[in-house]
Amino acid sequence: MTHRIKPKPRVIEGGKADRTLHADASQPRMVWNFWPLAALLLSALLWVGICWLIYAFL
């Protein structure tokens, strides 16, 4: 019986295969989004202003 041998993948010299892979290279970087926090802060300030107006003039 003859066994077929899978061909080895070719490595191109100077290509990406020669570079060392970092541990986090496959993981996308976490980018912080501050817009929800800014919206929450603005909403809180708006409600504090409304409550202050009601308290001050009633």
Side-chain angles (χ1 to χ4, degrees):
M1 272 174 86
T2 58
H3 295 284
R4 294 191 180 198
I5 300 171
K6 286 184 6 184
K8 292 182 181 178
R10 290 189 305 159
V11 177
I12 300 169
E13 294 290 328
K16 288 184 180 177
D18 292 338
R19 296 183 191 149
T20 58
L21 292 174
H22 298 291
D24 59 346
S26 62
Q27 299 277 338
R29 274 190 52 200
M30 183 181 231
V31 179
W32 292 99
N33 188 2
F34 290 108
W35 286 110
L37 183 64
L40 189 67
L41 182 64
L42 189 64
S43 177
L45 287 174
L46 184 66
W47 279 109
V48 166
I50 290 170
C51 291
W52 179 79
L53 282 172
I54 291 172
Y55 179 74
F57 294 108
L58 289 180

